[in-house]
Amino acid sequence: SKDGTRKWIMRLSCGNAIETVYIPEGERGTLCVSSQVGCALACTFCSTAQQGFNRNLSASEIIGQLWLANEYLGKDPKGKRVVTNVVMMGMGEPLANYQNVVSAMNLMLDDLAYGISWRRVTLSTSGMVPMIDKLKQDCHVSLAISLHAANDTLRDEIIPLNKKYPIAELLAACKRYVESAQQKRHITIEYV
């Protein structure tokens, strides 16, 4: 688009397609990465949910999105990568594909791989509480919570996962996530 945003539709070897989006903002370039083909959570506001769930992406398919974007976009005039931030906010619920997502994010963070700061890698979730607790042990990244409602009645309607993990449990998991860290962790609340 005119602002430099780029969207790729990537066809996988199995014939499925996923989306990856690059969003430039001043000195920052954010890549929105998919973790699944479709999604099983059925959130009413999400177009990916309308497709249903097909399969999880492998760690190589997840990290491959970052690799492809870096190859396509190249470097800035100072020789630095254009992609500075990664958000696991593309197709799918990242915590429903836990092991592959964590493996890919650890490569993003590793100085011998991509070397992106943990402050610049964010995982967005609809609220899989046990996996948030597991994530705090396995991967040091920022967290974004798709809240979208101020009470359980409305959230149950638009995010069916809330029936299993209501707002109070989700917020308690968020508190545990930031309290357990040796380095300060960030949580963003998404609300539309």
Side-chain angles (χ1 to χ4, degrees):
S1 72
K2 291 178 186 176
D3 70 354
T5 297
R6 290 188 173 93
K7 179 178 181 179
W8 292 276
I9 306 296
M10 298 180 193
R11 184 140 331 265
L12 305 173
S13 60
C14 61
N16 296 123
I18 57 169
E19 297 177 356
T20 304
V21 180
Y22 170 73
I23 307 157
E25 293 181 89
E27 299 294 314
R28 177 173 62 189
T30 301
L31 190 68
C32 183
V33 174
S34 293
S35 59
Q36 297 179 311
V37 179
C39 186
L41 294 189
C43 299
T44 59
F45 55 84
C46 178
S47 64
T48 301
Q50 307 310 310
Q51 300 173 27
F53 174 74
N54 188 287
R55 72 175 181 86
N56 287 326
L57 296 180
S58 67
S60 62
E61 289 169 327
I62 296 166
I63 200 71
Q65 295 169 71
L66 177 57
W67 181 86
L68 181 113
N70 276 321
E71 285 295 307
Y72 182 80
L73 296 169
K75 301 197 178 206
D76 68 14
K78 295 178 183 175
K80 294 184 179 180
R81 289 190 200 123
V82 176
V83 175
T84 61
N85 296 54
V86 174
V87 292
M88 297 299 304
M89 291 183 190
M91 296 173 68
E93 165 57 57
L95 293 180
N97 184 13
Y98 186 81
Q99 193 55 54
N100 292 329
V101 167
V102 168
S103 294
M105 289 190 309
N106 280 327
L107 282 171
M108 294 172 194
L109 300 171
D110 193 309
D111 287 340
L112 298 176
Y114 284 91
I116 300 173
S117 167
W118 65 267
R119 291 175 183 88
R120 296 177 175 266
V121 177
T122 301
L123 181 141
S124 177
T125 180
S126 294
M128 299 184 80
V129 168
M131 304 317 282
I132 293 170
D133 288 329
K134 187 165 173 44
L135 183 67
K136 74 182 178 189
Q137 303 299 325
D138 295 340
C139 190
H140 192 86
V141 293
S142 295
L143 196 60
I145 303 297
S146 291
L147 189 62
H148 305 301
N151 61 62
D152 285 323
T153 303
L154 178 57
R155 194 162 195 270
D156 285 352
E157 183 181 322
I158 63 174
I159 302 175
L161 182 66
N162 194 69
K163 293 172 188 165
K164 189 170 186 176
Y165 307 113
I167 292 172
E169 287 182 38
L170 176 57
L171 295 179
C174 290
K175 187 175 181 180
R176 290 189 301 271
Y177 189 77
V178 295
E179 286 178 345
S180 68
Q182 291 176 335
Q183 295 176 317
K184 186 177 179 184
R185 288 184 171 157
H186 304 269
I187 295 182
T188 303
I189 302 295
E190 301 164 331
Y191 195 106
V192 176

